[in-house]
Amino acid sequence: MAARLQLGHLVAAALAAAILGTLAAVAWFAGGLGALSEWDWRAVRFTLWQAALSASLSAALAIPVARALARRRFRGRGLLVTLLGAPFILPVIVAIMGLIAVFGRNGVVNEAMRAMGLPEIGIYGWQGVILAHVFFNLPLSVRLILQGWQAIPAERFRLAASLDFAPRDVARHLERPMLRATLPGVWLSVFLVCLTSFTVALALGGGPRATTVELAIYQAFRFDFDLGRAATLGLVQIALCVAALLAARAIALPAGFGAGMDSAMPIPAPRGWPLVVDALVITFAAGFLLWPMVSVITTGLPRIPALPPEVWDAAWRSVIMAVISALLSVGACLALALTIAQGRARWVEVAGMLPLIASPLVLGTGLFILLRGAVSPQQMALPVTVAVNAAMALPFGLRALIPAAQALRADYERLAMSLDLRGWARLRHLTLPRLRRPLGFAAGLAAALSMGDLGVITLFASDQPTLPLKLYQLMNSYRMADAAAASVLLMALSFGLFWLFDRGGRLEP
Amino acid sequence: MSLEFRDILIRQGDFALRADLTVPPGRHAVIGASGSGKSTLLSLIGGYLAPERGQVVWQGRDITAMAPGKRPVSTLFQSHNLFPHLTVAQNVGMGLRPDLRLDRAQSMAVEAVLDRVGLAGTGARRPGDLSGGQQSRVALARVLLRARPLLLLDEPFAALGPALKADMLALLAEVAGDATVLMVTHDPADARTFAPTTLLIEDGLVHPPRPTGPLLDNPPPGLRAYLG
């Protein structure tokens, strides 16, 4: 009965020490806020505004899509649900090429606008940043909300049917409580992703009206070699994230749903108008998400055989880094979630969410400050990238795992205790089988995020580039044919890694 | 072979439950109004909550601090008695070895108890494929296999129909053997058929066992109000 020291406590302590230590280095190095110019403050305002707008749009649009997917069964649904993970795990730099192909000056959308005599939409500037953020985060939001829908036991829907609930009553008693529990977390996830947005701003934004704080850090670090100003901006970034987290704590309401007995009972699906609306919603969402990807694939696929060997070297390097990063991340995630589910050590949950307050570039800046005496930037580039990517994936994994771990505990803890199910046997026969879906999802997310990440590594000029960095270098040297092919390769690898892990979690044992 | 509560006090917020009594071997019902602390008493014996003070003693041995899985106790909960992702045979086998590394003799023992509760041949199925009554039988098979001397029942058959419940109680009586049984129930008829004596929980106090028939024929005011 006594609270034992668990792996989760150790992981949490190590994580907290690493992140807080790094942030302390940043704070030590930072100048006063007076060091920031009007330009920097404009970046702060833009960052907040675009993150709020992106999060609201993503969450609002995701609800009808998730509901349609939760209650409809059709050919290709499984594939679509898997693909929904794609834009989020699609390497940002690849997705940007796709968005430019569809929404850019010569894209189909603007051609249609011109044909109808309407003004063109610009992809560069704030519109592009918002568009890209919704493109990346709508699918993540749908998946998170869909998981919430599927977490409502089928028995509840059956009970609702037996009580002759109208759709309105189902919404009130089952769906809205679930949404109330899920949406704040979803909105916050998207808001925080956008708050620390780097690659999108780098590629589509920039300039006085579309520069994020994260991009400003990069510019201070790489172009101005002004470590003090980079650190100060880092502190501002941390303050933004902390404020957002504190605000969000007030909203989140957990819902106490029990367990279902795993019966394969579909959620009730009304016919008539709701069916038509659901079909339109699914079609529109699928089109918005697939079109840019198809554009990139058709351009780049035929050119893959002609890729130079250094691209393949970079690809292989990235895959190894991604797998290490995913295993690190999901292992830490599981240990943390199991401890958090016991509800006795609040600080463990706080430690698990710490990566949210430390953006990749802030961590990169801090680690550079800490390590620069001992190791060269060349040497630290790859290990730092692996570690930062593993940490960055943690909050997403935890969001999926903590509720599942809590349900596991509420439903089966006493039974497991009564049978003396402990240690390895418990992990193998209870924890892993019951948590395999969120675990697979978390591992897939971590691997793909790491695979496609073009963030912290840009701080360290490396002669051992990852594939996204190699792709960025190809684009910058205008080798567009190779860039398109490398995009497809990178997309395939990211998607493949995600698919392997996520699929692994959803297979019936 | 007796179970003793020595000066037990449990506190959960405003709620308090006291127990200072000896439960002799045999089958006992546990009766009391909703929220009187019936499940709390079972949780105490099972080891899922620690008392603020006092000891739980089994056969002269203090088990108050013992881990739930090490106690001489099998429990049938109100729900979630089976792991839905494991097969019937695995669910039962877990009663012998939680790591499920069963040798041949143990596997045969699993088959044998499944046979005894009338579920021969269902070992490879999942609980979700079985009826409610069959799921109860699987849980009973595991109780049978574990053969612990103390058996706690927290209304495990409340969701079953009367005929099925009668079947289960009959099977239970068989399975229990000479184990000491504490059965929480809302149904006076169950108490009469299954348990010669009854522990009444009233006003935060667990009363010593009394013969079930006379207690129910002439209940004290609080219990009378509850039984209606």
Side-chain angles (χ1 to χ4, degrees), chain B residues 25-29 181 190-199 209-215:
Chain B
R27 303 203 296 246
H28 312 275
V181 184
D190 290 354
R192 284 180 199 271
T193 48
F194 183 79
T197 55
T198 293
L199 279 69
R210 291 155 66 180
T212 303
L215 177 71

Side-chain angles (χ1 to χ4, degrees), chain B residues 5-17:
Chain B
F5 300 97
R6 292 187 187 156
D7 191 29
I8 287 282
L9 171 66
I10 297 169
R11 229 192 265 278
Q12 288 173 325
D14 289 342
F15 174 80
L17 184 69

Side-chain angles (χ1 to χ4, degrees), chain B residues 94-116:
Chain B
M94 205 156 255
L96 279 181
R97 284 198 64 158
D99 62 5
L100 288 177
R101 291 189 190 149
L102 304 185
D103 60 30
R104 207 179 151 73
Q106 287 168 323
S107 299
M108 283 169 70
V110 169
E111 288 298 317
V113 289
L114 281 175
D115 191 22
R116 182 142 165 229

Side-chain angles (χ1 to χ4, degrees), chain A residues 5-199:
Chain A
L5 184 68
Q6 293 164 324
L7 192 58
H9 295 122
L10 295 177
V11 170
L15 190 65
I19 290 178
L20 294 178
T22 306
L23 297 189
V26 171
W28 178 259
F29 229 82
L33 287 179
L36 299 183
S37 63
E38 175 54 30
W39 173 285
D40 294 322
W41 288 114
R42 202 184 280 217
V44 173
R45 285 194 298 275
F46 173 74
T47 301
L48 284 173
W49 175 78
Q50 59 80 20
L53 186 57
S54 304
S56 304
L57 281 174
S58 300
L61 294 173
I63 295 171
V65 184
R67 185 177 57 189
L69 285 172
R71 64 188 185 184
R72 303 296 172 193
R73 296 290 178 272
F74 51 90
R75 277 175 68 89
R77 179 184 173 277
L79 182 66
L80 184 58
V81 171
T82 307
L83 281 175
L84 275 177
F88 183 72
I89 62 171
L90 185 66
V92 177
I93 198 73
V94 176
I96 285 167
M97 288 186 71
L99 286 172
I100 292 172
V102 174
F103 296 95
R105 242 194 96 76
N106 300 317
V108 272
V109 171
N110 274 326
E111 273 171 18
M113 299 292 265
R114 277 194 293 274
M116 289 185 288
L118 295 168
E120 291 179 22
I121 314 166
I123 182 115
Y124 295 100
W126 66 267
Q127 316 92 306
V129 172
I130 301 285
L131 178 73
H133 284 165
V134 172
F135 177 84
F136 291 123
N137 293 298
L138 173 63
L140 171 75
S141 308
V142 170
R143 283 186 68 114
L144 288 174
I145 298 172
L146 183 60
Q147 284 183 350
W149 237 290
Q150 286 169 340
I152 303 177
E155 284 91 335
R156 301 298 161 90
F157 284 108
R158 199 155 49 195
L159 179 65
S162 75
L163 295 173
D164 199 21
F165 276 19
R168 191 163 36 102
D169 304 315
V170 172
R172 184 176 154 204
H173 294 292
L174 297 180
E175 296 172 336
R176 245 176 269 156
M178 181 280 293
L179 287 174
R180 235 188 342 261
T182 313
L183 279 180
V186 171
W187 193 91
L188 175 67
S189 303
V190 179
F191 184 78
L192 282 161
V193 167
C194 299
L195 209 52
T196 58
S197 180
F198 171 65
T199 318

Side-chain angles (χ1 to χ4, degrees), chain A residues 275-317:
Chain A
L275 178 60
V276 177
V277 172
D278 283 354
L280 284 175
V281 161
I282 290 172
T283 309
F284 179 78
F288 175 55
L289 302 173
L290 290 179
W291 204 341
M293 293 166 75
V294 169
S295 298
V296 172
I297 293 170
T298 47
T299 318
L301 193 59
R303 294 171 183 156
I304 284 186
L307 277 175
E310 69 263 23
V311 173
W312 291 103
D313 290 345
W316 181 236
R317 191 176 297 125

Side-chain angles (χ1 to χ4, degrees), chain A residues 1-2 156 258-264 407-422 424-436 508-509, chain B residues 39 43 47-50 64-70 73 75 77-86 90-91 94-95 98-101 126-128 135 142 146 148 154:
Chain A
M1 298 293 292
R156 301 298 161 90
M261 260 304 196
D262 285 0
S263 310
L408 175 70
R409 184 175 163 78
D411 295 333
Y412 299 108
E413 180 66 19
R414 285 197 312 177
L415 178 57
M417 281 168 83
S418 79
L419 295 172
D420 204 23
L421 186 56
R422 287 177 292 119
W424 178 245
R426 183 186 185 119
L427 188 68
R428 178 164 168 221
H429 295 303
L430 178 60
T431 312
L432 293 182
R434 297 305 302 171
L435 298 182
R436 52 187 297 131
E508 288 303 315
Chain B
S39 295
S43 290
Y48 310 110
L49 64 86
T64 318
M66 198 181 274
K70 305 290 187 202
V73 176
T75 307
F77 304 104
Q78 265 174 18
S79 60
H80 296 116
N81 283 300
L82 302 176
F83 296 116
H85 57 280
L86 297 181
Q90 285 175 318
N91 266 292
M94 205 156 255
D99 62 5
L100 288 177
R101 291 189 190 149
R126 298 272 163 90
Q135 290 179 14
R142 189 175 58 214
R146 295 186 86 211
R148 302 275 163 125
D154 194 357

Side-chain angles (χ1 to χ4, degrees), chain A residues 177-439:
Chain A
M178 181 280 293
L179 287 174
R180 235 188 342 261
T182 313
L183 279 180
V186 171
W187 193 91
L188 175 67
S189 303
V190 179
F191 184 78
L192 282 161
V193 167
C194 299
L195 209 52
T196 58
S197 180
F198 171 65
T199 318
V200 167
L202 180 71
L204 295 177
R209 294 183 61 192
T211 293
T212 60
V213 177
E214 198 79 344
L215 182 59
I217 295 173
Y218 167 80
Q219 289 165 347
F221 194 111
R222 282 303 297 269
F223 299 156
D224 306 336
F225 306 109
D226 188 344
L227 213 48
R229 194 164 130 256
T232 308
L233 281 163
L235 279 189
V236 171
Q237 178 71 275
I238 295 164
L240 291 181
C241 295
V242 170
L245 282 174
L246 289 179
R249 285 179 65 87
I251 332 169
L253 297 169
F257 287 113
M261 260 304 196
D262 285 0
S263 310
M265 167 107 180
I267 293 168
R271 322 295 303 178
W273 269 114
L275 178 60
V276 177
V277 172
D278 283 354
L280 284 175
V281 161
I282 290 172
T283 309
F284 179 78
F288 175 55
L289 302 173
L290 290 179
W291 204 341
M293 293 166 75
V294 169
S295 298
V296 172
I297 293 170
T298 47
T299 318
L301 193 59
R303 294 171 183 156
I304 284 186
L307 277 175
E310 69 263 23
V311 173
W312 291 103
D313 290 345
W316 181 236
R317 191 176 297 125
S318 275
V319 167
I320 293 172
M321 289 169 67
V323 170
I324 296 172
S325 189
L327 294 179
L328 265 178
S329 187
V330 85
C333 208
L334 179 60
L336 290 173
L338 291 176
T339 301
I340 291 166
Q342 296 174 347
R344 277 196 289 258
R346 287 286 309 162
W347 69 271
V348 173
E349 183 163 6
V350 173
M353 293 296 163
L354 272 182
L356 291 176
I357 66 166
S359 72
L361 271 86
V362 174
L363 281 182
T365 305
L367 288 172
F368 178 81
I369 292 169
L370 282 176
L371 301 175
R372 71 204 151 121
V375 217
S376 75
Q378 295 279 345
Q379 287 170 309
M380 69 174 100
L382 300 189
V384 162
T385 302
V386 166
V388 168
N389 283 334
M392 286 302 133
L394 263 183
F396 296 107
L398 283 176
R399 201 157 294 287
L401 263 178
I402 290 174
Q406 283 168 335
L408 175 70
R409 184 175 163 78
D411 295 333
Y412 299 108
E413 180 66 19
R414 285 197 312 177
L415 178 57
M417 281 168 83
S418 79
L419 295 172
D420 204 23
L421 186 56
R422 287 177 292 119
W424 178 245
R426 183 186 185 119
L427 188 68
R428 178 164 168 221
H429 295 303
L430 178 60
T431 312
L432 293 182
R434 297 305 302 171
L435 298 182
R436 52 187 297 131
R437 272 176 173 242
L439 277 176

